[in-house]
Structure formats: C-alpha cells, structure tokens
Amino acid sequence: MPTNLNAESKAKWKRYLLEKRPEAKIRALEDFYSAIPKHKGNEKLRVNIKRKLSNLKIEIENKKKRSSRSSGYGASLKKTGAAQIVILGHTNVGKSSLLATLTNAKPQIANYEYTTTKPIQGMLEFENLGFQLIEAPALMPQNVESKAWNAQTLAIAQNSDGLILMIDISENSTYQLKSIIDHLEDFGISISKPKFEVEILRERARGIQIMLSGKLLDCNLKDVEKLAHSYGIRNALLKIFGETKLEDIENALLENKRIFKSAIILANKTDKVKKNTEDLKVNIHDYIPLLEISCEDKNNLEEVAPTIFKTLGIIRIYTKEPGTRPTSNMPFILKSGSSVFRLAKEIHSDFYRDFKYARIWGPSSKYPGEKVGGTHILKDGDTIEIHTK
Ligand SMILES: Nc1nc2c(ncn2[C@@H]2O[C@H](COP(=O)(O)OP(=O)(O)OP(=O)(O)O)[C@@H](O)[C@H]2O)c(=O)[nH]1
Ligand SMILES: [Mg+2]
C-alpha cells in the first residue's frame, strides 16, 4: 500500500533531512511522526520512524558516555581483513568456543549465562584471505532491561559485512533462530536478499537523474521524478536495480528500508543430539546456508570459512604492471559482479579517469591476456593489467 503522505508531512520530512544534530533531528522526526496519517499502509513507516528515534536517542546516550569515560565499541572494532563477520546468538550456544577454535582469540568459555560481555575478535584464515570474526555479547530475550544491551550487540551486527547466526541444536533451535531473525528485523536488518535496490545520491547531480537497471512495475520515469520533487529533492541521482514499484522508491526516499546482511547459520553441538535440521530450513524463506557443526568434536568446522566466502559474494582480483608476471599477493576485494571500472576506481581515481583498456588473465578471460573494456565483468581469481592514456 502506498504511504499517501500529504504535503504537510512531506514538508516535515524535508525539515528532518536538513537537520544535522541528533537532538534537532529527534525534534523534527517527532514532528513528522505525528503528521503521518494513521492508516494501515503507514504502519511500517511508523515502526521505522520509532526505530530511527530510538537509534538517535542511543546515539546521544553513547556520545555522553564517551565524553565522560571512554566506552562504546566503535574504535576497538576497526575493520581489518577481507570482511568483518559477527557471530550472533543466544547465550551458551558456543560462540566463544567457535571463536577459540577457528581463530587465535582466547575468549572465556563457560557454561554459565552471558560469559561474554564485550565483543571479542579473532582472525579466521581462508586461503590468502582473513575474515575478522567478532563474537558479539549474546542476544537476550526482549524486555525493558535488555533493550540497551541488545541494541549494542545489534549495532555491531549492523556495522559488519556478514553474520553468523549460531544456535544450539540440542535446545529449542527453531525458537532460537526465529528469535535472532526477529531481533534483527526489529533493528532494521534483513538477512533475505532484497529483490530490488534503490540508491539515492544527492551529491553532484543536476536535476533528477535516473539510472534504471531493471524495471519499474507501476510507474514511469516521469512519476519517479515527480515523486522526488514532491519531497523537495531537485538534484539527485537515483540508481534503481531490480523490479521496483513507486512505493519502493518512496520508501527509499523516506529512508524506510532494511539493510541487508548476508548470513550463514551454524547449528552447534551436534555431538549432543542426532537431530535433523530440515525443519529449521523450512523456516528460512530464502536459501541461507546452514551447517551442522560441533565445536566439541571439531565436526564440520573446516566448512565454515569457505561457506562464509561463498555467501559474502566477494571476488579477489590481482593486479599487475604491464610487462611483469602475474602475482598472487594481496588481492583487491570486490563485490561479485564488479566491472573493470569498479576496480580502476578502487585502485585510484586516476586509473578510472585515464582508463584506456585492460588485459585479463584468469577465469573471466577468453584467453590469457584478453583485451577488455571498462564494463567487462570480473571473476574471482582474475589478474588484471590496466592501461591508461
Ligand atoms: N557438547 C558441546 N558443548 C559445547 C559445544 N560448544 C560449546 N559447548 C559448551 O557450551 C558452553 C557455552 O560455551 P561458550 O562458547 O562459552 O558459549 P557462548 O555462546 O560464548 O556463551 P556466552 O558468552 O555466555 O553468550 C560451554 O560449557 C562449552 O564448553 C559443542 O559443540 N558441544
Ligand atoms: Mg561467549
């Protein structure tokens, strides 16, 4: 259902976008919230605005704490390695045991509840890559006291590149999995791949420019432009991927969307029970890899890193100078589906600006040293040589 916001509420949203300080943002958002017409089609938007408000309040709280005494995890969880993966789960499911087995970290492991109270990190080696694994403090059942605790854990997840949802197979595993997914959903994080994506870039655009790679289902480009104008957006580049409705674009303009995190599920403690996980898989809509493991018996643990790698959808690209041999040190990490242009930008804006052509060796090339243009799609393990003007 479309949101049907009237001009007054749209004007209030515009005001919110203009505010910079969290305190002022809260006031503007509260004002906007009270102007949203109360019908069923707006329920999601209302929940989302409530969440935004609560996040802004947490942000202010954290700022206060930081200025009085250094706290908050931000700096200590600086990203390193090819990807940052956060282990999420209820208490005692074996998160620390997993971290201790797969990495060099030495977390405390114990059978009492909430042993881990701060995030702990270690590096998981996979071929020539390292994944930074972070055990986040366990998710607690939702109630008033656990709100701040859970918010800190979920904020760590929000900042990550991927998630491990860990459950104890010898306990009520269906409930555990649903609980983790519900926590994430409530926080605005989805583990199901979105069918469409709308990106709004406000900088450096002149007028409303639309880059469509997919299909508009119930509108045309003119409608999109009109919609943006109605929110006071005059200059922006809208990138639209997949099959999209006008309502989806409106939700993107209202920042009313979930962020997607790729995830894998680890069902731990298979040594304790012989149980089938088929029933668990039924409850997951999209295909999300599920591994049955045992930290105790070290069962199936070798599968964890390759499964993370596949699920993240990343590729390793090696670069070389013209006239030298291909090397296999320090690849560039890109999203799968990335083009030669994307890599050129990643290396240096000069390579992108002065790009002439590239030569490719490896999986995406028809023959060694194939000459390709900037739109050529790279594959994991390619070696590339960029020629500039
Ligand atoms: N039988 C069995 N026990 C395990 C396994 N993995 C962990 N445990 C035990 O489960 C208990 C909890 O393990 P932890 O690794 O501390 O669990 P956690 O998820 O980090 O717990 P919190 O930090 O409290 O949230 C410990 O007694 C572990 O020895 C396993 O695969 N099999
Ligand atoms: Mg622990």
Side-chain angles (χ1 to χ4, degrees):
M1 222 200 262
T3 47
N4 283 329
L5 293 184
N6 56 26
E8 185 204 347
S9 32
K10 283 181 180 173
K12 293 191 167 171
W13 176 257
K14 264 184 254 174
R15 245 206 50 218
Y16 158 73
L17 288 180
L18 291 173
E19 297 294 357
K20 294 274 180 305
R21 288 179 34 250
E23 290 82 357
K25 273 182 177 261
I26 287 181
R27 274 196 303 277
L29 214 48
E30 279 171 345
D31 199 25
F32 171 70
Y33 184 83
S34 59
I36 304 174
K38 290 182 185 57
H39 64 74
K40 208 157 164 37
N42 288 338
E43 234 162 63
K44 263 196 190 157
L45 178 63
R46 292 159 67 83
V47 171
N48 180 285
I49 299 300
K50 282 245 154 160
R51 184 169 55 230
K52 263 196 201 323
L53 280 166
S54 119
N55 284 347
L56 282 165
K57 284 172 189 163
I58 291 172
E59 193 184 315
I60 294 176
E61 271 305 300
N62 284 347
K63 230 193 242 167
K64 271 191 208 151
K65 270 195 223 157
R66 264 202 297 279
S67 51
S68 58
R69 155 179 65 90
S70 171
S71 101
Y73 304 128
S76 60
L77 293 179
K78 205 168 169 298
K79 286 191 181 184
T80 60
Q84 187 185 74
I85 310 293
V86 170
I87 312 167
L88 282 183
H90 288 186
T91 185
N92 273 341
V93 298
K95 300 182 295 303
S96 296
S97 308
L98 182 77
L99 191 71
T101 320
L102 294 183
T103 77
N104 47 350
K106 304 257 178 296
Q108 196 183 345
I109 297 169
N111 61 1
Y112 59 83
E113 296 192 331
Y114 306 106
T115 313
T116 306
T117 55
K118 284 197 177 86
I120 308 175
Q121 54 183 313
M123 198 54 87
L124 167 62
E125 310 282 341
F126 171 67
E127 295 177 358
N128 55 350
L129 295 177
F131 296 126
Q132 182 188 24
L133 283 196
I134 297 181
E135 177 190 2
L139 286 164
M140 289 183 178
Q142 267 317 10
N143 59 41
V144 182
E145 288 93 64
S146 64
K147 224 177 166 175
W149 170 284
N150 285 337
Q152 280 199 319
T153 285
L154 291 162
I156 301 168
Q158 189 175 40
N159 191 42
S160 72
D161 302 308
L163 305 172
I164 290 177
L165 314 187
M166 195 163 179
I167 53 179
D168 177 345
I169 194 78
S170 69
E171 300 280 339
N172 45 2
S173 47
T174 309
Y175 161 73
Q176 290 172 55
L177 186 58
K178 185 171 180 315
S179 159
I180 305 172
I181 294 174
D182 286 351
H183 270 109
L184 288 167
E185 287 279 331
D186 285 350
F187 205 73
I189 301 171
S190 171
I191 55 166
S192 317
K193 245 201 188 94
K195 301 211 166 39
F196 60 83
E197 206 175 319
V198 181
E199 208 181 326
I200 300 158
L201 305 162
R202 286 166 201 267
E203 311 91 48
R204 287 197 293 168
R206 281 193 154 227
I208 299 296
Q209 294 168 15
I210 300 167
M211 221 180 86
L212 181 65
S213 145
K215 209 164 123 193
L216 295 173
L217 292 178
D218 60 353
C219 57
N220 57 37
L221 295 175
K222 203 86 211 129
D223 297 329
V224 177
E225 189 178 338
K226 253 184 12 214
L227 182 73
H229 283 163
S230 80
Y231 279 94
I233 299 170
R234 300 264 149 206
N235 299 308
L237 169 65
L238 272 69
K239 287 186 177 177
I240 303 171
F241 305 93
E243 303 204 330
T244 316
K245 289 187 182 162
L246 195 60
E247 158 187 9
D248 303 325
I249 299 167
E250 182 165 27
N251 279 323
L253 291 171
L254 286 164
E255 299 171 8
N256 186 25
K257 56 175 190 176
R258 296 180 180 285
I259 57 165
F260 164 71
K261 294 285 168 196
S262 52
I264 70 166
I265 299 165
L266 296 183
N268 188 31
K269 308 199 187 182
T270 51
D271 57 289
K272 275 175 100 176
V273 283
K274 276 278 148 276
K275 213 166 137 188
N276 200 318
T277 47
E278 282 311 312
D279 53 332
L280 273 176
K281 289 181 186 164
V282 175
N283 289 308
I284 315 163
H285 295 301
D286 292 88
Y287 180 72
I288 294 168
L290 185 152
L291 292 178
E292 297 176 23
I293 59 160
S294 164
C295 293
E296 184 83 13
D297 288 0
K298 312 266 182 291
N299 179 33
N300 229 5
L301 291 177
E302 70 287 354
E303 288 300 322
V304 175
T307 308
I308 291 174
F309 178 70
K310 261 185 249 152
T311 311
L312 280 173
I314 54 178
I315 52 172
R316 288 162 288 191
I317 308 297
Y318 304 88
T319 52
K320 74 175 202 69
E321 300 272 334
T324 61
R325 292 164 145 271
T327 58
S328 51
N329 320 327
M330 285 303 285
F332 278 88
I333 307 292
L334 296 173
K335 270 194 184 165
S336 66
S338 294
S339 63
V340 169
F341 273 149
R342 177 74 246 154
L343 177 81
K345 269 188 201 163
E346 193 77 16
I347 302 173
H348 196 277
S349 56
D350 287 357
F351 274 95
Y352 176 61
R353 202 192 52 220
D354 302 331
F355 181 85
K356 206 156 106 198
Y357 66 91
R359 289 196 183 279
I360 307 266
W361 288 257
S364 85
S365 66
K366 288 198 198 90
Y367 49 87
E370 186 193 356
K371 189 174 169 180
V372 298
T375 55
H376 176 86
I377 302 298
L378 296 161
K379 286 199 175 143
D380 183 44
D382 277 346
T383 295
I384 181 169
E385 182 183 281
I386 293 183
H387 294 254
T388 51
K389 288 174 206 151

